[in-house]
Amino acid sequence: MSERRMAPSDAVWLYSEFEGNHQAVSAVIWTDREIDPDNLRAVVGDRLITRYPTFTQRVRMSRNPGLMPHWEDDPDFDIDRHIHVMRLPEPGDKEALEALVSDQRSKMLDRSRPLWEIFLIQGYRGNTSAIHARIQHAIADGWALVRLVLSLADEDSATERPRTTDGKRRRKRDVAAGVVSPAKDAVTGAADAVQSAAARAAGTMSDIAGNPKAIGAKLASGVDALQETLTVDVDAHQFLEYGQQVPDAVRQRMGKAKDTAHEVGHTTKDAFDLLMPPRPGQTMLHGTVNGHKKVAWIEPIGLQPVKDAGKTMGATINDVLLGALTNALRNYLLDNEGLTVDSLLTSVPISLRKPDTPLPRNLGNRFGLIPVLLPVGIADPLEQVRQIKRQIDDVKNSQIPIMSFGVVSVSAMLTPELEKFAHKMNQAHSIGITTNVPGPRNELHFAGAKVLGMWGMGGNSGNMNLVFGIFSLNGELNFAVQSDTGITTDPERILDLFVQSVRTIEELTLGPGGGHHPAEDGAEAVSDASGAGAGTAAASESSEDR
C-alpha cells in the first residue's frame, strides 16, 4: 500500500474543519439534457481516477500531533461509493435543486474513504441533469477543482483539459528550512524537524502578537521570517493575482531590493496587515453557526455589461463585482435595520497557480487568502467600487498573497486543537469567504450535454456565516451564495440585491438600458434612503480585463 505525507498547506484545511462548518469545495453544473450515468462513471474513471492518485486515497492521521497526516491507498476503493445517481424530488425545479444541494453541503465528507463525491441529479426541470461535485479542501483548492471539472468536458468543447506532471521527487526535508513552494509538490520533515519548526513558528507568531513593533526585527536580514518561518519560496514569477502576472513593481521589489531597508519596511507593513487583520465590528451577519446550510444561485446574466461598466471607471470586473456585493450587503442590512458598521470583512482567495501550468498529480493547495473590507458605510455605489479598487491595487503591489500561503502552511504545524483556535480567533469578525474562478469563454459540453450554467464555492471555518461563489462561462456570470441558517435564513434576498446592484452600477456608468439583461426585465433597481444603488459579489481576475 503506497502512502505519502500530506503537505502543511493541505493539512491546514483538514484541521480547520468544524462540526458546523466544513472545508468542502463544491462545483455545481446544470445541462440541457440528461447525462448517462455510465458515461459519467467512465469519464471520471479515465480523467480523474487514473490521473490523480489522491482520488483513491484516504486520510490517515498521525499519532504524533507534531507530524502531518498521510494519504494512503484505500484498499476497498469503489468508484460507485463516490458517484451517486439520484432523481430530484418533485417538482424538480430550481428551488428543489437548491434544497438538495443545501442538504449535501451541510454534511461532512466521510473521512474513512477518499474525500470526494459526485452527485448526478436527474430530472432537473423535467428532463435535464445537474451535477454536484465535492472534494475536501485538503485535496485541492477551488481553482484546481474547476479545472478538474472542466477536464471532464467532451471533445467537442474547445476547453483544453489540464495536463498532469510528475516532477522529480525531492528529498523530505525540514519544513522550516523554506522548502514549501507554490510550484512544487508537498515536502515533509522528520518528527524532530517538524516539531522544531512548529516551535519556531509558534514563537514567532506569539512574539508578533504580543509586540507588534517586533515585526520589523523578525523580517530583517533577508526577510528571514518570510523565507524560513513562513516557509515560502518568494519567486515573483510564481505569483498569480486574480489570474494576472505579478505587477512589475512587485517583481522589481522582490527581485532586486529584498535586502534594502525600503523592502523590509514594505514587508513589515504587509506582515502587519496580514497577521493583524482589521476588526470592523459585528452585525446581524455574524453569530454562531448551527451547521445547516442554505444555498441559492442566480440564473446566469451577461458579463459584457459588467466589463463595460468597469472600463468607464478604469476598474476591473473584479472591482465592479466586489463593489456591487458591498452595495447589496449594505441594502440587506438597511432593509433589516442592521447597518451598524462602516465595513464588513471578507476573505478573498488568490490563486498562486499559473493558468498554463499543468496540475501536479498530487494536486494540493496553492493560493493565498487576503482580507478585504467591503465599505458598506458608503452610500454611493460607484464610490464603493473605487474604494474596492484602491484596496485591491494595494494588494497587487504587496507580498500579502504569498505571505498568506506561508502563514497558513505554518499554522498546520500546530496541533489540530490550536489550529482550530487560531482559525476561530482570526475569523471572528469575518462574514465569510468570497471566491471567483473564471471559466472558459466558449460553450462547454459535458458527457454530450450542453452546460447551461456553473458555479463553484469553497468551505468555511469557525463561525463564519457566508460563502459567495462566482464563475464566468461563455460570456455569462454565475453567482451563488451559501448562508448558515443559524444566522441568515434568506440568502436568496442577497441574490436579488446582488443582481439589482449589478444593474444599478451598469446604468450609472453606461446609461439607461446600457447593461440590458433580458432575463431580469421588470426588476427594480435597489437604492437606499440616500439614493444609492445596490451591489454584487467578489471575483478574482482571469484576464487583463478582470
Side-chain angles (χ1 to χ4, degrees):
M1 178 183 295
S2 65
E3 65 175 54
R4 58 187 172 86
R5 199 181 298 275
M6 192 179 296
S9 56
D10 300 331
V12 65
W13 304 109
L14 201 65
Y15 293 162
S16 63
E17 206 164 42
F18 287 72
E19 183 177 350
N21 259 334
H22 310 147
Q23 292 288 11
V25 183
S26 286
V28 172
I29 72 171
W30 54 101
T31 63
D32 67 344
R33 67 195 68 179
E34 285 199 349
I35 293 174
D36 187 321
D38 291 335
N39 287 346
L40 176 63
R41 291 188 189 94
V43 169
V44 171
D46 177 54
R47 303 178 190 174
L48 292 187
I49 305 303
T50 61
R51 298 185 184 190
Y52 304 99
T54 314
F55 284 96
T56 61
Q57 295 177 323
R58 63 189 181 187
V59 172
R60 179 173 63 81
M61 302 299 293
S62 172
R63 287 174 290 186
N64 187 327
L67 294 177
M68 296 296 103
H70 281 75
W71 293 111
E72 66 176 12
D73 291 342
D74 179 4
D76 300 318
F77 176 78
D78 184 346
I79 193 172
D80 287 329
R81 292 180 177 176
H82 298 269
I83 296 181
H84 313 287
V85 181
M86 60 185 61
R87 184 154 293 273
L88 189 63
E90 294 293 339
D93 55 10
K94 180 170 174 285
E95 288 70 26
L97 181 59
E98 289 174 339
L100 179 60
V101 172
S102 298
D103 181 64
Q104 293 166 349
R105 288 273 298 173
S106 300
K107 298 175 180 177
M108 186 180 293
L109 290 164
D110 183 355
R111 291 199 178 187
S112 68
R113 297 175 179 173
L115 297 175
W116 65 276
E117 59 187 359
I118 296 176
F119 297 93
L120 174 58
I121 305 162
Q122 307 287 42
Y124 179 46
R125 289 176 169 170
N127 57 353
T128 70
S129 292
I131 292 177
H132 180 198
R134 299 179 71 210
I135 65 171
Q136 218 285 339
H137 217 316
I139 293 180
D141 53 52
W143 187 284
L145 173 61
V146 169
R147 291 180 66 183
L148 290 172
V149 171
L150 294 179
S151 76
L152 304 179
D154 290 336
E155 290 293 343
D156 56 355
S157 169
T159 305
E160 180 182 356
R161 298 192 182 98
R163 297 160 291 143
T164 61
T165 180
D166 276 312
K168 292 182 178 180
R169 290 190 177 273
R170 299 181 60 187
R171 171 178 168 266
K172 293 183 178 180
R173 300 174 58 191
D174 182 359
V175 177
V179 296
V180 175
S181 167
K184 294 180 174 64
D185 288 345
V187 295
T188 56
D192 56 343
V194 174
Q195 290 171 335
S196 172
R200 293 177 58 200
T204 298
M205 291 180 177
S206 176
D207 290 346
I208 291 175
N211 181 14
K213 293 182 180 179
I215 295 178
K218 295 291 180 184
L219 297 175
S221 303
V223 203
D224 288 341
L226 180 63
Q227 293 181 331
E228 295 183 26
T229 306
L230 301 186
T231 68
V232 174
D233 179 3
V234 189
D235 178 2
H237 296 284
Q238 301 297 333
F239 177 30
L240 188 73
E241 162 60 30
Y242 295 131
Q244 299 173 331
Q245 294 297 330
V246 60
D248 290 340
V250 178
R251 182 179 293 109
Q252 293 168 2
R253 278 171 46 204
M254 296 169 66
K256 299 179 180 179
K258 201 177 293 184
D259 59 345
T260 66
H262 179 67
E263 175 62 21
V264 171
H266 273 296
T267 307
T268 300
K269 180 183 181 301
D270 292 346
F272 187 88
D273 290 344
L274 178 64
L275 297 174
M276 303 291 181
R279 296 180 175 271
Q282 298 191 343
T283 68
M284 61 179 295
L285 296 175
H286 301 79
T288 302
V289 300
N290 64 16
H292 298 289
K293 310 305 179 184
K294 189 173 184 181
V295 182
W297 57 87
I298 66 171
E299 298 292 347
I301 62 176
L303 185 63
Q304 187 63 42
V306 177
K307 177 179 174 181
D308 293 342
K311 282 188 174 180
T312 67
M313 304 178 65
T316 65
I317 294 175
N318 177 70
D319 299 330
V320 174
L321 294 177
L322 272 173
L325 174 61
T326 300
N327 206 11
L329 293 175
R330 170 185 170 84
N331 282 283
Y332 180 86
L333 292 174
L334 285 173
D335 288 348
N336 292 278
E337 299 182 352
L339 184 59
T340 57
V341 298
D342 292 329
S343 301
L344 294 173
L345 177 64
T346 185
S347 296
V348 178
I350 294 181
S351 177
L352 298 173
R353 301 180 190 270
K354 288 185 177 181
D356 57 349
T357 300
L359 289 175
R361 281 178 57 82
N362 291 335
L363 298 173
N365 289 268
R366 296 293 181 267
F367 71 98
L369 274 174
I370 64 168
V372 174
L373 287 173
L374 306 179
V376 293
I378 297 176
D380 181 357
L382 300 188
E383 183 57 29
Q384 291 171 343
V385 174
R386 297 184 187 101
Q387 286 272 18
I388 292 294
K389 174 177 169 55
R390 284 191 282 269
Q391 283 192 66
I392 298 301
D393 286 349
D394 286 344
V395 170
K396 288 178 180 179
N397 290 283
S398 77
Q399 298 176 20
I400 289 177
I402 296 177
M403 295 176 70
S404 168
F405 178 82
V407 169
V408 167
S409 298
V410 161
S411 68
M413 293 186 289
L414 305 173
T415 66
E417 291 74 19
L418 287 176
E419 164 67 15
K420 286 179 180 290
F421 177 77
H423 266 260
K424 201 166 186 177
M425 292 297 294
N426 191 50
Q427 298 161 353
H429 286 253
S430 175
I431 59 172
I433 305 294
T434 303
T435 67
N436 172 35
V437 179
R441 299 180 180 181
N442 52 274
E443 188 175 283
L444 187 66
H445 291 77
F446 195 97
K450 178 181 176 182
V451 175
L452 301 179
M454 175 176 177
W455 56 262
M457 65 169 55
N460 254 347
S461 186
N463 276 312
M464 291 195 296
N465 173 25
L466 300 170
V467 185
F468 300 106
I470 296 179
F471 186 79
S472 57
L473 174 65
N474 195 26
E476 292 186 319
L477 179 67
N478 297 265
F479 174 62
V481 60
Q482 171 187 290
S483 70
D484 187 276
T485 58
I487 304 173
T488 302
T489 59
D490 57 346
E492 62 279 358
R493 177 56 181 159
I494 297 176
L495 287 180
D496 293 339
L497 293 171
F498 170 77
V499 173
Q500 294 166 10
S501 299
V502 172
R503 296 191 61 192
T504 297
I505 291 177
E506 291 170 353
E507 291 178 0
L508 288 174
T509 54
L510 305 176
H516 182 60
H517 297 290
E520 298 298 326
D521 283 346
E524 296 294 329
V526 173
S527 61
D528 61 27
S530 301
T536 309
S540 32
E541 298 295 286
S542 66
S543 69
E544 66 279 2
D545 299 316
R546 304 195 79 180

Coordinates of all heavy atoms in Angstrom, one line a residue, residues 5-33:
R5 N 3.1 11.7 2.9 CA 2.7 12.6 3.9 C 2.1 13.8 3.3 O 2.4 14.3 2.2 CB 4.0 13.0 4.7 CG 3.6 13.6 6.1 CD 4.9 14.1 6.8 NE 5.8 13.0 7.1 CZ 5.7 12.2 8.1 NH1 4.7 12.4 9.0 NH2 6.6 11.2 8.3
M6 N 1.1 14.3 3.9 CA 0.3 15.5 3.5 C 1.1 16.8 3.7 O 1.8 16.9 4.7 CB -1.0 15.6 4.2 CG -2.0 16.5 3.6 SD -3.6 16.6 4.6 CE -4.2 14.9 4.3
A7 N 1.0 17.7 2.7 CA 1.7 18.9 2.8 C 1.0 19.8 3.9 O -0.2 19.7 4.1 CB 1.7 19.7 1.5
P8 N 1.8 20.6 4.6 CA 1.2 21.5 5.6 C 0.1 22.4 5.0 O -0.9 22.7 5.6 CB 2.3 22.4 6.1 CG 3.5 21.5 5.9 CD 3.3 20.7 4.6
S9 N 0.3 22.9 3.7 CA -0.6 23.7 3.0 C -1.9 23.0 2.7 O -2.9 23.7 2.4 CB 0.0 24.3 1.8 OG 0.4 23.3 0.9
D10 N -1.9 21.7 2.8 CA -3.2 20.9 2.6 C -3.8 20.5 3.9 O -5.0 20.5 4.1 CB -2.9 19.7 1.7 CG -2.3 20.0 0.3 OD1 -2.6 21.1 -0.2 OD2 -1.5 19.2 -0.2
A11 N -2.9 20.1 4.8 CA -3.4 19.6 6.1 C -4.1 20.7 6.9 O -5.1 20.4 7.7 CB -2.2 19.1 7.0
V12 N -3.8 22.0 6.7 CA -4.5 23.0 7.4 C -6.0 23.0 7.1 O -6.8 23.4 8.0 CB -3.8 24.4 7.0 CG1 -4.1 24.7 5.6 CG2 -4.4 25.5 7.9
W13 N -6.4 22.6 5.9 CA -7.8 22.6 5.6 C -8.5 21.4 6.2 O -9.8 21.4 6.3 CB -8.0 22.7 4.1 CG -7.3 23.9 3.6 CD1 -6.1 23.9 2.8 CD2 -7.6 25.3 3.8 NE1 -5.7 25.2 2.5 CE2 -6.6 26.0 3.1 CE3 -8.6 25.9 4.5 CZ2 -6.6 27.4 3.2 CZ3 -8.6 27.3 4.5 CH2 -7.6 28.0 3.9
L14 N -7.8 20.4 6.6 CA -8.3 19.3 7.3 C -8.5 19.7 8.8 O -9.6 19.4 9.4 CB -7.4 18.1 7.2 CG -8.0 16.7 7.4 CD1 -9.0 16.3 6.3 CD2 -6.8 15.7 7.4
Y15 N -7.5 20.3 9.3 CA -7.6 20.7 10.7 C -8.6 21.8 11.0 O -9.2 21.9 12.1 CB -6.2 21.3 11.2 CG -5.1 20.2 11.2 CD1 -3.8 20.6 11.2 CD2 -5.4 18.9 11.2 CE1 -2.7 19.7 11.3 CE2 -4.4 17.9 11.3 CZ -3.0 18.3 11.3 OH -2.0 17.4 11.3
S16 N -8.9 22.7 10.0 CA -9.8 23.8 10.2 C -11.2 23.5 10.0 O -12.0 24.4 9.9 CB -9.3 25.0 9.4 OG -9.4 24.7 8.0
E17 N -11.6 22.2 9.9 CA -12.9 21.8 9.7 C -13.6 21.7 11.1 O -13.1 21.1 12.0 CB -13.0 20.5 9.0 CG -14.3 20.2 8.2 CD -14.1 19.1 7.2 OE1 -13.5 18.1 7.6 OE2 -14.6 19.2 6.1
F18 N -14.8 22.3 11.2 CA -15.6 22.3 12.4 C -16.8 21.5 12.2 O -17.3 21.3 11.1 CB -15.9 23.8 12.8 CG -14.8 24.6 13.3 CD1 -13.8 25.0 12.5 CD2 -14.7 24.9 14.7 CE1 -12.7 25.8 13.0 CE2 -13.7 25.7 15.2 CZ -12.7 26.1 14.4
E19 N -17.5 21.2 13.3 CA -18.7 20.4 13.2 C -19.8 21.2 12.4 O -20.6 20.6 11.7 CB -19.2 20.1 14.6 CG -20.5 19.2 14.6 CD -20.9 18.8 16.0 OE1 -20.1 19.1 17.0 OE2 -22.0 18.3 16.2
G20 N -19.8 22.5 12.6 CA -20.9 23.3 11.9 C -20.4 24.0 10.7 O -21.2 24.6 10.0
N21 N -19.1 23.9 10.4 CA -18.6 24.5 9.2 C -17.5 23.5 8.6 O -16.5 23.2 9.2 CB -17.9 25.9 9.5 CG -18.8 27.0 9.1 OD1 -19.7 26.9 8.2 ND2 -18.6 28.1 9.7
H22 N -17.8 23.1 7.3 CA -16.9 22.1 6.7 C -16.1 22.7 5.6 O -16.5 23.7 5.0 CB -17.8 21.0 6.1 CG -18.8 20.4 7.1 ND1 -20.0 20.0 6.7 CD2 -18.7 20.3 8.4 CE1 -20.7 19.6 7.7 NE2 -19.9 19.7 8.8
Q23 N -14.9 22.1 5.4 CA -14.0 22.7 4.3 C -14.1 21.8 3.1 O -13.1 21.2 2.6 CB -12.6 22.6 4.9 CG -12.3 23.6 6.0 CD -12.3 25.1 5.5 OE1 -12.6 25.4 4.3 NE2 -11.8 26.0 6.3
A24 N -15.3 21.8 2.5 CA -15.5 21.1 1.2 C -15.7 22.1 0.1 O -16.4 23.1 0.3 CB -16.8 20.2 1.3
V25 N -15.0 21.9 -1.0 CA -15.1 22.7 -2.2 C -16.1 22.1 -3.1 O -16.1 20.9 -3.3 CB -13.7 22.9 -2.9 CG1 -13.8 23.8 -4.1 CG2 -12.7 23.4 -1.9
S26 N -17.0 22.9 -3.6 CA -18.1 22.4 -4.5 C -18.1 23.1 -5.8 O -17.7 24.2 -6.0 CB -19.5 22.7 -3.8 OG -19.7 21.8 -2.8
A27 N -18.5 22.3 -6.8 CA -18.8 22.8 -8.2 C -20.2 22.2 -8.6 O -20.4 21.0 -8.4 CB -17.8 22.4 -9.2
V28 N -21.1 23.1 -9.0 CA -22.4 22.7 -9.5 C -22.6 23.1 -10.9 O -22.3 24.2 -11.3 CB -23.5 23.3 -8.6 CG1 -24.9 23.0 -9.2 CG2 -23.4 22.7 -7.2
I29 N -23.0 22.2 -11.8 CA -23.4 22.5 -13.2 C -24.7 22.0 -13.5 O -25.2 21.0 -12.9 CB -22.3 21.9 -14.2 CG1 -22.5 20.4 -14.3 CG2 -20.9 22.3 -13.8 CD1 -21.6 19.8 -15.4
W30 N -25.4 22.6 -14.5 CA -26.7 22.0 -15.0 C -26.6 22.1 -16.5 O -26.0 23.0 -17.1 CB -27.9 22.8 -14.4 CG -27.9 24.2 -14.5 CD1 -28.6 25.0 -15.4 CD2 -27.2 25.2 -13.7 NE1 -28.4 26.3 -15.2 CE2 -27.6 26.5 -14.2 CE3 -26.4 25.1 -12.6 CZ2 -27.1 27.7 -13.6 CZ3 -25.9 26.3 -12.0 CH2 -26.2 27.5 -12.5
T31 N -27.3 21.1 -17.1 CA -27.2 20.9 -18.6 C -28.5 20.9 -19.3 O -29.6 21.1 -18.6 CB -26.5 19.5 -18.8 OG1 -27.4 18.5 -18.3 CG2 -25.1 19.4 -18.1
D32 N -28.5 20.8 -20.6 CA -29.7 20.9 -21.4 C -30.4 19.6 -21.6 O -31.4 19.5 -22.3 CB -29.4 21.6 -22.7 CG -28.6 20.8 -23.6 OD1 -27.9 19.8 -23.1 OD2 -28.5 21.1 -24.8
R33 N -29.8 18.5 -21.1 CA -30.4 17.2 -21.3 C -29.8 16.2 -20.2 O -28.9 16.6 -19.5 CB -30.1 16.6 -22.7 CG -28.6 16.3 -22.9 CD -28.3 16.1 -24.3 NE -28.4 17.3 -25.1 CZ -28.1 17.4 -26.4 NH1 -27.8 16.4 -27.1 NH2 -28.2 18.6 -27.0

